[in-house]
Amino acid sequence: MIIERSTNWREDFFERFEQDGPWDSWTLYKMSYEIEKMNLIPEFSGLQAPKFLTNLQLLPHQVEAAQTVIEKMNGKAILADEVGLGKTIEAGLIMKEYMIRGLVKKALILVPASLQNQWVTELNVRFFIPAISYRKNTPIDHYDVVVMSMDTAKKSPHREKIYEQDYDMIIIDEAHKLKNHKTQIYEFVQSLKKKFCLLLTATPIQNDVFEIFYLVSLLKPGHLGNYEAFQSSFSATKNSLDGEKYLRELVNQVMVRNRRHDTGVEWTRRKVQTITVQFTEQEKEVYDMISELKSISSIFSSSFTMVTLLKEMCSSKEATFLTLNKMLQKCAQSEEKEYIEAIMEKLMNLEINAKAEKVIEIIEKAQDKVIIFTEYRATQAYLQWYLYTKGITSVLFNGKFSKSKRDWMKQLFRERAQVLIATESGGEGINLQFCHHVINYDLPWNPMKLEQRIGRVHRLGQEEDVHIYNLAIEQTIEQKILDLLSSKIDVFEKVVGDLDDILTRKA
């Protein structure tokens, strides 16, 4: 088609003026006028995007978060809302706003592999942003908005392809995975050009205060000083937190955090119980024998190995047996082998799992759907068998499952099974608001993993109070874990802000 400028427009205009027409449609003119008026951005404050998002009902805290990031943080921020408040919605809204204003065209979204398709669907359906999911050999230079798994992005040749692009915006979901500055993914993200950058995580601190330093440094290098200056000013934060107020002020300049109780949404309650369990005499005997291993064999001198075994013994004999069997192969001395074989024999003779019996009590009392979180796949298999012997239907969920199988397990749990038995991967990326009971069968060292687990059910759309049961065996390593969890929660709250209940509060 050839478009040429009319050379006789003046004659045409005077002819129509003298003859009073024919004129163009007044209706079409008004429609065209309204479209142009809508596309104008008369001022930079306020958001234009919400009026275009007809498939989305935005909540006030989500709009406020987006406006804060754009107007006060220059598009570089940590979105740290509590689990279930819609950080994905806030990120999509910010991206859409920048696109409308002509400031963002190309964007890269890095997410855990399990969330890749979910992000693509959200962006396309809710925000009308034509995002594509990156697969092997996808020509990313042909697409403006690409969603890619973190694990893929950090490796060659994908990393080099990304470096060749000029992205206007980088979004990273589950950004707490960047807490270790020595990892490949951290170094990769640090090297990216970041005009606008959003880090999404409900848990910006998981273990110690230095994790927030490295996250903030990705957005604004030097905002918290260099490492040495930060260490000298805030290393005491691990214990006394003398500079907590000043540090929180600095962090809040680059972080938006909404809590459930501050959103204006009526939330159901969390009812948290810490339930202590007593080993049987036979279980306690095996636990004590395992505790003595470090004095029997040099193989068990590693504190990590001992801690792992003690935690496994608090979980199931199956998980413990597998680890002991691996260690047995490394033993050179007969005395070591005999001692380990004696433990394994006693393990196999155990007929009762005291913690599993407590689980049955909770499930029978609940008379409802229940999620059980364990850290070991061997325990997961044992619990499914044990529940089956009690007439309780269950399905498994772990990181080894493909996405389609994970979706199938979720559907089976919703429609048929009473119990979902999940490993840690179940604490990420699935929404289960139809369930109201969470059993933390094994306690993690990291309190934020507890928050992630609970957040699978206590989120927008939950209509019932959520019951959380934290199981811990008396006079074992699990008592120490409870104390450490409380200490880490204290660090988080003093630097980031209050945390919803995940443990029974101490008086």
Side-chain angles (χ1 to χ4, degrees):
M1 177 183 292
I2 299 176
I3 300 176
E4 296 180 348
R5 182 176 180 177
S6 172
T7 56
N8 58 346
W9 67 271
R10 189 187 301 271
E11 291 80 0
D12 288 346
F13 172 75
F14 281 114
E15 184 179 343
R16 293 186 187 191
F17 182 78
E18 291 172 359
Q19 298 179 10
D20 193 25
W23 305 107
D24 289 332
S25 167
W26 178 244
T27 301
L28 291 176
Y29 170 79
K30 287 194 295 182
M31 289 173 63
S32 177
Y33 175 80
E34 288 299 324
I35 290 172
E36 287 299 320
K37 185 177 177 181
M38 286 178 66
N39 286 333
L40 289 175
I41 303 176
E43 55 184 357
F44 202 81
S45 62
L47 300 182
Q48 306 296 317
K51 62 187 177 185
F52 297 102
L53 302 176
T54 55
N55 287 353
L56 187 60
Q57 185 174 354
L58 293 165
L59 296 173
H61 74 272
Q62 295 167 340
V63 176
E64 185 178 343
Q67 197 162 340
T68 297
V69 170
I70 291 171
E71 296 179 5
K72 297 181 180 179
M73 299 178 178
N74 299 315
K76 289 187 176 182
I78 300 171
L79 298 180
D81 289 1
E82 289 185 326
V83 177
L85 292 187
K87 291 182 290 296
T88 304
I89 298 298
E90 293 168 2
L93 180 58
I94 293 166
M95 190 198 308
K96 185 72 173 182
E97 184 70 23
Y98 277 131
M99 285 180 162
I100 290 172
R101 297 182 185 200
L103 297 174
V104 167
K105 182 182 179 184
K106 288 180 70 69
L108 174 68
I109 298 97
L110 300 177
V111 304
S114 60
L115 303 182
Q116 200 168 341
N117 291 338
Q118 182 177 315
W119 264 91
V120 171
T121 301
E122 291 272 318
L123 291 175
N124 279 276
V125 174
R126 294 196 176 196
F127 294 95
F128 309 116
I129 295 174
I132 63 107
S133 182
Y134 180 83
R135 301 290 181 234
K136 187 177 181 180
N137 297 325
T138 299
I140 58 174
D141 52 322
H142 293 179
Y143 300 96
D144 288 333
V145 182
V146 177
V147 181
M148 187 182 301
S149 84
M150 291 185 189
D151 288 337
T152 299
K154 69 184 181 183
K155 299 173 184 175
S156 294
H158 319 288
R159 178 179 64 235
E160 288 75 20
K161 290 180 181 178
I162 293 170
Y163 286 153
E164 291 173 1
Q165 309 302 310
D166 289 318
Y167 287 109
D168 303 305
M169 173 170 271
I170 306 292
I171 297 176
I172 301 170
D173 197 7
E174 304 293 348
H176 48 267
K177 295 181 182 294
L178 303 174
K179 64 183 179 181
N180 186 346
H181 68 291
K182 296 180 180 179
T183 59
Q184 191 178 13
I185 185 63
Y186 186 94
E187 293 173 357
F188 166 71
V189 172
Q190 190 176 41
S191 301
L192 289 174
K193 291 172 283 187
K194 297 180 282 292
K195 177 181 174 183
F196 301 114
C197 183
L198 302 176
L199 305 179
L200 281 59
T201 173
T203 56
I205 292 179
Q206 296 198 342
N207 291 294
D208 65 57
V209 73
F210 292 97
E211 293 169 357
I212 196 73
F213 170 80
Y214 290 117
L215 284 183
V216 172
S217 296
L218 284 175
L219 294 174
K220 293 188 174 181
H223 181 72
L224 297 180
N226 59 30
Y227 179 82
E228 289 74 20
F230 184 84
Q231 186 178 39
S232 64
S233 300
F234 303 114
S235 59
T237 309
K238 293 181 178 179
N239 299 308
S240 65
L241 291 174
D242 293 330
E244 64 187 61
K245 184 178 178 181
Y246 177 56
L247 178 56
R248 189 187 292 198
E249 288 176 358
L250 286 175
V251 171
N252 284 341
Q253 291 174 17
V254 292
M255 184 178 76
V256 175
R257 178 172 172 80
N258 288 303
R259 298 194 64 230
R260 294 178 184 85
H261 302 300
D262 301 330
T263 60
V265 178
E266 188 173 342
W267 285 87
T268 61
R269 292 182 298 167
R270 287 186 181 186
K271 297 182 177 181
V272 183
Q273 298 180 50
T274 298
I275 300 175
T276 55
V277 179
Q278 284 190 331
F279 265 148
T280 64
E281 289 185 12
Q282 293 78 12
E283 288 176 308
K284 185 67 168 64
E285 181 184 0
V286 177
Y287 183 88
D288 291 341
M289 289 180 70
I290 292 173
S291 300
E292 293 299 319
L293 269 171
K294 58 186 175 184
S295 61
I296 301 294
S297 173
S298 59
I299 296 175
F300 297 93
S301 59
S302 164
S303 58
F304 176 78
T305 303
M306 280 305 303
V307 166
T308 300
L309 272 170
L310 293 174
K311 283 194 69 183
E312 287 173 337
M313 184 58 206
C314 291
S315 183
S316 70
K317 66 181 183 182
E318 286 76 10
T320 314
F321 187 92
L322 288 177
T323 300
L324 283 173
N325 194 45
K326 290 178 183 176
M327 303 308 292
L328 185 64
Q329 314 306 318
K330 300 179 181 180
C331 290
Q333 300 179 15
S334 58
E335 181 184 355
E336 295 175 345
K337 287 188 175 182
E338 288 174 6
Y339 191 84
I340 294 173
E341 287 171 349
I343 296 176
M344 293 170 70
E345 184 177 353
K346 285 185 178 294
L347 272 176
M348 291 301 95
N349 289 332
L350 291 176
E351 296 182 356
I352 296 174
N353 183 318
K355 194 190 277 189
E357 288 192 341
K358 182 61 68 174
V359 166
I360 297 297
E361 287 181 29
I362 296 170
I363 294 172
E364 290 178 344
K365 185 177 179 180
Q367 290 294 304
D368 198 357
K369 292 189 180 294
V370 178
I371 299 176
I372 302 173
F373 281 102
T374 176
E375 295 198 332
Y376 310 104
R377 288 204 299 273
T379 300
Q380 190 183 36
Y382 161 74
L383 285 173
Q384 185 172 48
W385 169 83
Y386 187 62
L387 294 181
Y388 176 78
T389 66
K390 301 297 182 180
I392 299 171
T393 56
S394 66
V395 292
L396 304 183
F397 194 97
N398 64 53
K400 294 294 183 180
F401 292 171
S402 64
K403 182 185 181 301
S404 59
K405 187 170 183 178
R406 289 158 65 100
D407 290 343
W408 176 235
M409 292 299 105
K410 178 180 173 181
Q411 185 176 341
L412 286 176
F413 178 43
R414 178 192 286 272
E415 297 177 359
R416 300 184 187 181
Q418 184 183 356
V419 177
L420 178 77
I421 310 170
T423 55
E424 207 60 59
S425 63
E428 186 178 275
I430 58 169
N431 304 329
L432 302 165
Q433 294 94 322
F434 57 86
C435 180
H436 321 123
H437 297 265
V438 178
I439 299 176
N440 288 307
Y441 184 88
D442 297 319
L443 294 173
W445 293 102
N446 185 342
M448 297 305 111
K449 287 189 176 181
L450 282 178
E451 174 60 26
Q452 292 281 354
R453 293 174 179 182
I454 298 167
R456 297 305 100 211
V457 299
H458 197 224
R459 57 193 304 112
L460 287 172
Q462 177 58 262
E463 298 178 352
E464 304 288 339
D465 289 343
V466 175
H467 300 263
I468 298 109
Y469 313 89
N470 297 320
L471 304 188
I473 298 177
E474 290 183 352
Q475 298 180 327
T476 68
I477 194 170
E478 291 190 330
Q479 289 286 340
K480 296 178 181 178
I481 293 174
L482 281 174
D483 292 339
L484 185 61
L485 288 173
S486 296
S487 175
K488 289 182 177 181
I489 289 171
D490 187 51
V491 171
F492 181 96
E493 292 190 329
K494 288 180 178 179
V495 178
V496 178
D498 290 342
L499 186 68
D500 212 338
D501 290 347
I502 59 177
L503 294 176
T504 306
R505 295 283 181 175
K506 294 182 178 180

